C-alpha cells in the first residue's frame, strides 16, 4: 500500500502547519473496513471504539460453493455522545482542570481553548454515517437475498437505537435502489419494543430482578476497580505532575481517557481528538482491557446471570432459523412473538437493533466465547489470549453480528455461521468445519443453555 500525503494526514502521522499546503483529511471511516485512523489506539477503546473490521482467522467471504438462504443482523446503535450522567462528570472534570491549572503547554496546549460541548445520549453525525455504511455493507454482502426480499426489522425503543435502525435502512435502501436487478421494495422499522420498566424486551435487559439489583450486579465494578489500581496510578502521577495545580483522582483519569473516543466520534469525520495523545499505546491497551472487564463481568460469562439475559433473543433466533414458534419462558414478549405480524417466521432477512450490554449477553448465551478463560483482574489479556474476546472486538459503536444460513454443494443440510464484526467465530461446540460452519441441527443442539432458559429460575429468588 502506498502512503499518500493525505493518507498519512488521516492516519495522524503528519500534522498541519500554517503556510503550507494542507491535504484534505481522508475520512477515517469507510463502508468495508470501518474506522481505520490510528488503529493502534482506536481499536483499544472498548465499547467506545467505532466499528472496525476485526481480523478473522477464517475467511469471512461467502464460500463460492454456497448460497446464503438466511441472514440475521444484530446491531448496536452507532456512535453517540456520552450518557447524561457521564457527560456531567466529564464536564466537571474539565472545569476542575481549568480552574486549577494556570497554563497548558506541549500536548496539553489544546486544553487552553477546549470547551466542553458534548451532548448526551443521542447519536453523533459520525454515528449516523456509521449506520448508513452498515446498511450498505449488509446489502452488498447479502445482495443475492436482499435484492428480492425485505428484512424484518425490530428495534429497542431508545431514541438512538431507533434512529440507528432508520439510518441503517437508509443505507440499505440506497444500495438497493442503485441495484438494477433489485425488486425496489424497501424496509421500514416493523416493531419497536419498549424499554419501559417491566417490559419484556429481548433487545434490552431489565426484567431479571436478581441480575439488576442483587449482589452479582457489582462484580464488574469490583473487577474494574482492581484493574484500575494496577494500571492507573502511573498515569495519574504523570498527569498530575504535568498539569501543575490540579489533583485528579483515578476515576477522573479514566474520564480524561474517555474524552478521547467521545471527542473523536463527535467530529463528523472521526478526526482523532487531541485527548488521545495524552496517553501511550500501552495505556490504551490497558484501557481497552478495563472496558472488556466491564462487559465480561457485567453481562458475559464472568457474571452468573449475565448470559441468561441473552437467552430470550437466542430462543427467538432458533425460531427464525428453524421456522418454528418461539419456545421461551424468559424475557420474550409472548404476545409479540406468537403473532406473525410482529414475529414472522417466513423471512430470509432479519435486522435487530440493540445495545452493547444486551449484545454481550446474547453472545455469551450463544456460547461464542466459551473457549475464553476467565479474564484476569490484574493482568491485561490480549485478544490472542482471550480467543478473540474484547469489548472493542465485540460491541464497538455500530457493532454488527451476522448469523447466516448457507446452502452448500455437497451438504444436504443447511449450514450456520456466526460472524462478529467480520470475524468468523470458530463454533467449537457444534463441531464447526474449517470455514466455521455447523449444520443447522448441530448448531441448534449446541444451544441447550438457552433452550433450557439459562439460569432464569434464579432471577426472582
Ligand atoms: C458544563 O458545566 C457548566 C457549569 O459548570 C455549564 O454552565 C455548562 O452548560 C456545561 N456544559 C455542557 C455542555 O454540559
Ligand atoms: C407485549 O407486547 C404488547 C404489544 O406491543 C404490549 O402491549 C405489551 O405491553 C407487552 N408486554 C410486556 C410485558 O412487555
Ligand atoms: C480478582 O480476581 C481474583 C482471582 O480470580 C478473585 O479471587 C477476586 O475476587 C477478584 N477481585 C475482584 C475485586 O474482582
Ligand atoms: C491529592 O488527593 C489525594 C486524595 O484526595 C491526597 O491524598 C493527596 O495528598 C493530594 N495530593 C496533592 C498534591 O494535593
Ligand atoms: C413477560 O415475561 C414474564 C417472565 O418470563 C412472563 O411471566 C410474562 O408472561 C411475560 N409477558 C408476556 C406478555 O409475554
Ligand atoms: C457455554 O458454556 C456454558 C457454561 O459452561 C454452557 O452452559 C453452554 O452450554 C455452553 N454453550 C455452548 C454453545 O457450548
Ligand atoms: C480545583 O477545582 C475545584 C473545582 O472543580 C475542586 O473542587 C478542587 O478540588 C480542585 N483542586 C485541586 C487541587 O484539584
Amino acid at each position: 500500500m502506498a502512503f499518500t500525503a493525505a493518507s498519512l494526514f488521516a492516519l495522524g502521522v503528519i500534522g498541519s502547519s500554517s503556510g503550507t499546503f494542507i491535504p484534505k483529511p481522508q475520512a477515517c471511516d469507510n463502508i468495508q473496513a470501518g474506522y481505520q485512523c490510528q488503529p493502534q489506539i482506536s481499536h483499544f477503546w472498548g465499547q467506545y471504539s467505532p466499528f472496525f473490521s476485526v481480523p478473522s482467522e477464517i475467511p469471512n467471504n461467502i464460500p463460492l460453493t454456497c448460497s446464503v438462504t438466511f441472514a440475521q443482523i444484530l446491531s448496536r446503535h452507532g456512535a453517540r455522545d456520552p450518557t447524561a450522567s457521564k457527560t456531567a462528570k466529564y464536564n466537571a472534570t474539565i472545569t476542575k482542570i481549568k480552574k486549577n491549572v494556570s497554563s497548558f503547554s506541549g500536548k496539553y496546549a489544546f486544553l487552553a481553548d477546549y470547551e466542553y460541548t458534548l451532548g448526551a445520549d443521542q447519536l453523533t453525525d459520525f454515528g449516523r454515517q456509521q449506520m448508513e455504511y452498515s446498511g450498505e455493507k449488509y446489502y452488498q454482502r447479502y445482495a443475492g437475498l436482499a435484492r428480492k426480499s425485505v428484512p424484518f426489522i425490530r428495534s429497542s425503543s431508545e431514541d438512538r437505537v431507533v434512529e440507528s435502525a432508520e439510518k441503517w435502512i437508509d443505507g440499505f435502501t440506497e444500495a438497493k435502489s442503485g441495484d438494477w436487478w433489485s425488486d425496489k421494495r424497501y424496509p421500514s422499522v416493523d416493531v419497536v419494543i419498549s424499554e419501559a420498566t417491566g417490559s419484556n424486551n429481548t433487545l434490552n435487559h431489565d426484567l431479571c430482578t436478581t441480575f439488576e439489583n442483587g449482589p452479582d450486579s457489582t462484580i464488574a465494578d469490583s473487577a474494574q476497580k482492581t484493574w484500575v489500581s494496577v494500571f492507573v496510578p502511573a498515569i495519574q502521577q504523570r498527569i498530575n505532575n504535568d498539569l501543575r495545580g490540579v489533583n485528579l483522582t483515578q476515576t477522573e483519569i479514566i474520564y480524561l481517557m474517555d474524552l478521547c473516543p467521545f471527542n473523536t466520534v463527535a467530529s463528523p469525520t472521526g478526526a482523532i481528538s487531541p485527548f488521545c495523545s495524552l496517553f501511550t499505546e500501552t495505556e490504551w491497551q490497558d484501557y481497552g482491557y478495563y472496558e472488556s472487564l466491564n462487559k465480561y463481568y457485567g453481562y458475559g460469562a464472568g457474571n452468573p446471570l449475565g448470559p441468561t439475559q441473552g437467552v430470550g433473543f437466542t430462543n427467538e433466533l432458533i425460531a427464525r432459523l428453524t421456522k418454528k414458534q418461539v419456545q421461551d419462558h424468559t424475557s420474550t414478549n409472548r404476545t409479540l412473538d406468537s403473532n406473525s405480524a410482529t414475529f414472522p417466521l417466513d423471512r430470509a432477512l432479519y435486522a435487530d437493533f440493540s445495545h452493547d450490554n444486551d449484545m454481550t449477553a446474547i453472545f455469551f448465551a450463544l456460547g461464542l466465547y466459551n473457549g475464553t478463560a476467565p479474564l484476569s483482574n490484574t493482568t491485561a489479556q490480549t485478544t490472542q489470549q482471550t480467543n478473540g474476546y474484547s469489548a472493542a472486538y465485540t460491541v464497538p459503536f455500530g457493532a454488527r453480528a451476522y448469523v447466516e444460513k448457507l446452502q452448500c454443494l455437497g451438504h444436504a443440510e443447511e449450514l450456520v455461521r456466526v460472524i462478529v464484526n467480520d470475524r468468523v467465530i470458530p463454533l467449537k461446540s457444534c463441531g464447526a468445519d474449517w470455514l466455521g460452519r455447523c449444520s443447522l441441527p448441530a448448531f441448534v443442539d449446541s444451544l441447550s443453555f438457552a433452550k433450557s432458559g439459562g439460569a432464569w429460575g434464579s432471577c426472582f429468588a
Side-chain angles (χ1 to χ4, degrees):
M1 174 180 171
F3 286 98
T4 61
S7 74
L8 290 173
F9 183 86
L11 292 165
V13 175
I14 53 175
S16 61
S17 55
S18 56
T20 57
F21 170 71
I22 300 170
K24 193 172 184 281
Q26 280 185 350
C28 285
D29 198 23
N30 71 72
I31 295 179
Q32 290 307 326
Y35 193 86
Q36 293 300 337
C37 284
Q38 296 194 25
Q40 69 282 15
I41 69 167
S42 67
H43 295 181
F44 294 90
W45 295 342
Q47 67 277 17
Y48 306 139
S49 283
F51 160 80
F52 56 94
S53 187
V54 173
S56 184
E57 301 89 65
I58 299 172
N60 65 16
N61 55 313
I62 312 291
L64 283 174
T65 54
C66 302
S67 63
V68 183
T69 55
F70 171 103
Q72 157 90 57
I73 178 176
L74 173 63
S75 172
R76 189 187 180 198
H77 56 74
R80 56 160 169 79
D81 278 321
T83 55
S85 60
K86 283 287 184 65
T87 218
K89 289 169 177 165
Y90 298 155
N91 189 1
T93 303
I94 295 299
T95 303
K96 177 171 170 178
I97 292 171
K98 293 225 162 190
K99 191 174 162 156
N100 294 295
V101 181
S102 48
S103 82
F104 298 97
S105 59
K107 59 192 176 183
Y108 299 94
F110 76 95
L111 283 168
D113 300 319
Y114 177 77
E115 281 190 43
Y116 190 83
T117 57
L118 300 180
D121 293 319
Q122 304 302 329
L123 296 182
T124 65
D125 284 342
F126 174 86
R128 294 183 178 99
Q129 175 75 259
Q130 279 189 299
M131 296 313 296
E132 288 193 27
Y133 282 175
S134 177
E136 277 183 74
K137 180 164 164 155
Y138 176 90
Y139 184 85
Q140 289 166 9
R141 179 175 178 86
Y142 297 114
L145 285 175
R147 63 170 57 108
K148 55 178 200 283
S149 48
V150 169
F152 187 82
I153 298 177
R154 301 188 305 173
S155 174
S156 200
S157 68
E158 193 165 2
D159 288 352
R160 65 172 175 269
V161 184
V162 176
E163 194 186 0
S164 291
E166 287 164 350
K167 293 296 166 197
W168 185 90
I169 289 170
D170 287 349
F172 180 95
T173 297
E174 190 175 311
K176 187 165 183 173
S177 65
D179 181 351
W180 196 85
W181 299 98
S182 79
D183 64 9
K184 307 288 189 276
R185 290 187 302 134
Y186 304 109
S188 55
V189 177
D190 294 288
V191 177
V192 174
I193 309 180
S194 167
E195 294 189 9
T197 307
S199 173
N200 291 24
N201 183 344
T202 54
L203 302 172
N204 185 61
H205 66 93
D206 197 28
L207 269 192
C208 175
T209 316
T210 311
F211 174 75
E212 301 296 334
N213 308 317
D216 291 347
S217 62
T218 60
I219 297 174
D221 279 355
S222 49
Q224 284 187 287
K225 217 175 186 168
T226 304
W227 175 234
V228 161
S229 72
V230 174
F231 92 97
V232 173
I235 307 175
Q236 182 186 25
Q237 202 175 20
R238 179 182 74 241
I239 303 260
N240 280 339
N241 189 53
D242 288 353
L243 292 177
R244 282 286 143 154
V246 77
N247 190 2
L248 296 173
T249 64
Q250 293 188 1
T251 306
E252 287 164 338
I253 295 295
I254 296 284
Y255 293 162
L256 215 52
M257 297 187 88
D258 292 346
L259 284 169
C260 153
F262 280 115
N263 280 291
T264 298
V265 302
S267 149
T269 57
I272 294 272
S273 157
F275 279 98
C276 305
S277 59
L278 303 182
F279 307 94
T280 67
E281 281 178 30
T282 307
E283 287 165 357
W284 285 117
Q285 289 160 17
D286 290 344
Y287 172 87
Y289 191 69
Y290 165 84
E291 302 296 3
S292 297
L293 287 173
N294 178 262
K295 299 303 155 200
Y296 182 87
Y297 285 103
Y299 300 87
N303 190 301
L305 281 172
T308 294
Q309 310 314 308
V311 162
F313 182 86
T314 302
N315 286 328
E316 291 179 330
L317 175 65
I318 293 172
R320 287 171 169 177
L321 285 166
T322 59
K323 302 188 193 286
K324 292 197 178 114
Q325 286 297 322
V326 178
Q327 301 288 328
D328 179 74
H329 60 272
T330 68
S331 62
T332 48
N333 181 323
R334 280 63 146 179
T335 309
L336 290 174
D337 284 10
S338 60
N339 181 343
S340 63
T342 48
F343 201 86
L345 292 167
D346 59 353
R347 302 298 187 94
L349 302 177
Y350 296 92
D352 287 298
F353 295 85
S354 176
H355 299 273
D356 53 350
N357 294 337
D358 307 283
M359 287 173 66
T360 301
I362 291 163
F363 294 161
F364 281 90
L366 287 165
L368 302 185
Y369 301 97
N370 267 16
T372 298
L375 299 193
S376 161
N377 54 26
T378 52
T379 315
Q381 317 283 293
T382 65
T383 47
Q384 281 77 31
Q385 293 167 321
T386 60
N387 263 303
Y389 179 76
S390 78
Y393 268 24
T394 53
V395 291
F397 287 134
R400 71 291 305 259
Y402 304 144
V403 180
E404 56 190 28
K405 277 203 288 183
L406 304 168
Q407 188 71 64
C408 303
L409 276 178
H411 292 265
E413 284 165 329
E414 283 180 305
L415 305 177
V416 176
R417 288 211 302 186
V418 180
I419 298 166
V420 177
N421 299 316
D422 292 348
R423 177 174 178 268
V424 180
I425 304 297
L427 298 171
K428 294 241 166 53
S429 44
C430 51
D433 68 6
W434 68 284
L435 288 172
R437 306 173 301 185
C438 285
S439 75
L440 175 60
F443 180 70
V444 173
D445 274 356
S446 76
L447 301 178
S448 57
F449 174 79
K451 287 190 285 184
S452 63
W456 192 257
S458 310
C459 282
F460 311 99

